[in-house]
């Protein structure tokens, strides 16, 4: 079904924040990729360095950044292990900035054909509404967005 809209050399971007739904999104995207080895899978994590709470304490800020870098590294290693099960071209990215904006930019710059992401992420209560990042990406992305719930 879904695969019919994907042509050769399709590029799928997964927006990954390590939440359960982003894991589900990754699994979904990997299943799509398995249908055709020409599909490329790009997994992007957006790091937010500007958490105001931590800003006011110089030391805490540095420590926070160090911890954040280590966590991101661990998550990327884990992702890369998972992605090894595919014969497709895959790559993980960690970029900094505002998640919604950076995902849309990333998708555009990489000329992606599809974005796969969760309806909610790490911060959300289980509400009826989309999270702010998924909402933003659906509104602004130039390509179709597959929202996993
Ligand atoms: N920092 C991020 N980096 C990459 N993807 C993200 C990030 N934040 C959110 N996402 C993607 O957006 C989905 C929805 O998250 P979000 O809109 O932030 O909801 P919530 O408000 O519940 O946190 C996540 O499942 C994930 O796929
Ligand atoms: Mg979130």
């Amino acid at each position: 079904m879904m695969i019919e809209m994907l042509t050769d050399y399709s590029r799928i971007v997964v927006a990954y924040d390590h939440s359960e739904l982003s894991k589900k999104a990754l699994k979904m995207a990997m299943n799509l990729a398995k249908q055709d080895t020409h599909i490329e899978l790009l997994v992007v994590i957006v790091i937010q360095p500007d958490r105001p709470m931590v800003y006011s304490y110089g030391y805490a800020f540095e420590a926070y950044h160090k911890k954040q870098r280590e966590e991101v590294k661990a998550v990327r290693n884990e992702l890369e292990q998972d992605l090894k099960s595919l014969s497709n071209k895959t790559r993980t990215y960690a970029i900094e900035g505002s998640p919604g904006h950076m995902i849309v930019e990333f998708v555009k710059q990489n000329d992606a054909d599809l974005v796969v992401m969760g309806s909610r992420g790490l911060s959300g209560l289980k509400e009826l509404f989309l999270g702010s990042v998924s909402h933003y990406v659906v509104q602004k992305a130039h390509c179709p967005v597959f929202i996993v719930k």
Side-chain angles (χ1 to χ4, degrees):
M1 41 117 212
M2 185 72 196
I3 198 70
E4 284 163 16
M5 65 184 268
L6 299 170
T7 51
D8 273 2
Y9 300 100
S10 285
R11 198 170 288 147
I12 300 176
V13 168
V14 179
Y16 191 84
D17 65 357
H18 209 48
S19 62
E20 286 310 310
L21 280 179
S22 74
K23 289 178 190 172
K24 201 170 163 185
L26 176 68
K27 196 169 257 178
M28 185 80 86
M30 286 176 72
N31 283 335
L32 283 174
K34 276 179 197 157
Q35 313 293 314
D36 187 335
T37 51
H38 289 118
I39 297 172
E40 289 180 18
L41 204 57
L42 278 49
V43 183
V44 64
I45 304 167
V46 183
I47 307 159
Q48 284 173 280
D50 54 349
R51 299 260 175 100
M53 217 178 73
V54 207
Y55 247 141
S56 32
Y57 307 100
Y59 173 75
F61 190 62
E62 281 309 307
Y64 171 76
H65 266 244
K66 188 164 178 281
K67 192 166 181 289
Q68 193 181 44
R69 276 197 303 273
E70 286 165 4
E71 276 170 13
V72 169
K73 201 174 163 190
V75 169
R76 286 181 75 181
N77 284 341
E78 196 181 298
L79 283 169
E80 275 156 23
Q81 284 304 317
D82 283 356
L83 290 167
K84 273 186 188 161
S85 66
L86 296 175
S87 44
N88 304 66
K89 189 174 168 191
T90 64
R91 202 170 159 187
T92 69
Y93 298 80
I95 57 179
E96 280 191 11
S98 162
H101 184 256
M102 292 310 289
I103 292 165
V104 168
E105 274 305 302
F106 182 86
V107 164
K108 191 162 78 184
Q109 271 166 25
N110 288 283
D111 196 23
D113 304 291
L114 180 71
V115 184
V116 185
M117 65 195 302
S119 57
R120 300 309 306 246
L122 289 171
S123 59
L125 302 165
K126 284 207 156 43
E127 293 172 11
L128 287 169
F129 302 104
L130 286 177
S132 59
V133 176
S134 44
H135 186 259
Y136 185 89
V137 175
V138 166
Q139 300 292 323
K140 306 277 186 185
H142 76 275
C143 69
V145 181
F146 191 119
I147 300 281
V148 172
K149 54 180 268 185

